[in-house]
Amino acid sequence: MRSSSDWVREESGGWRRAKVQQTRGLNYTHNRHLKAIFKGAATTVLMQWHDDPLYHDYQRLLAGGTKPNLAKVTLARKIAAIVLSMWKAGEVYHPVKHRKPISQ
């Protein structure tokens, strides 16, 4: 697949291939155990905790048209971000505190 943004104009007037955006996220050196833990945590939220704010975030993503598998990965990433912030601050989980406000 190609697009016009694959090429950029040089100062001399010629064309050259644009730098490819590098993907962010997991690479071949990622921690498989942590990935499985966070995906398992997302599955637990989806299967058992229907009154949790994270479950409502997942439902909001689905209502917005996000595919279920991508919504689950988004939920796992959100859980990972919450765990990291809790770990750095040395605090316990508060569902209301670790949420972004809902934009209208």
Side-chain angles (χ1 to χ4, degrees):
M1 188 167 156
R2 295 182 184 200
S3 68
S4 60
S5 64
D6 291 343
W7 299 87
V8 292
R9 183 88 97 174
E10 292 181 331
E11 290 180 15
S12 63
W15 291 94
R16 67 173 171 85
R17 201 173 265 289
K19 288 187 176 180
V20 178
Q21 175 95 19
Q22 296 296 319
T23 58
R24 296 180 50 168
L26 297 178
N27 56 23
Y28 65 93
T29 61
H30 69 273
N31 189 324
R32 287 174 172 76
H33 298 293
L34 278 179
K35 180 179 177 181
I37 288 169
F38 288 124
K39 286 175 72 175
T43 302
T44 300
V45 168
L46 297 180
M47 296 296 170
Q48 298 178 2
W49 298 352
H50 296 271
D51 57 342
D52 192 80
L54 291 170
Y55 180 79
H56 298 299
D57 290 343
Y58 174 78
Q59 292 298 326
R60 193 174 304 113
L61 286 169
L62 292 181
T66 306
K67 294 178 183 177
N69 60 338
L70 295 178
K72 184 177 176 180
V73 170
T74 301
L75 183 64
R77 287 179 176 160
K78 188 176 288 194
I79 292 170
I82 290 170
V83 168
L84 179 63
S85 69
M86 288 171 38
W87 180 43
K88 284 185 173 184
E91 57 188 23
V92 297
Y93 176 65
H94 298 290
V96 177
K97 182 178 179 182
H98 294 285
R99 292 191 73 214
K100 291 182 181 177
I102 300 171
S103 58
Q104 297 292 335

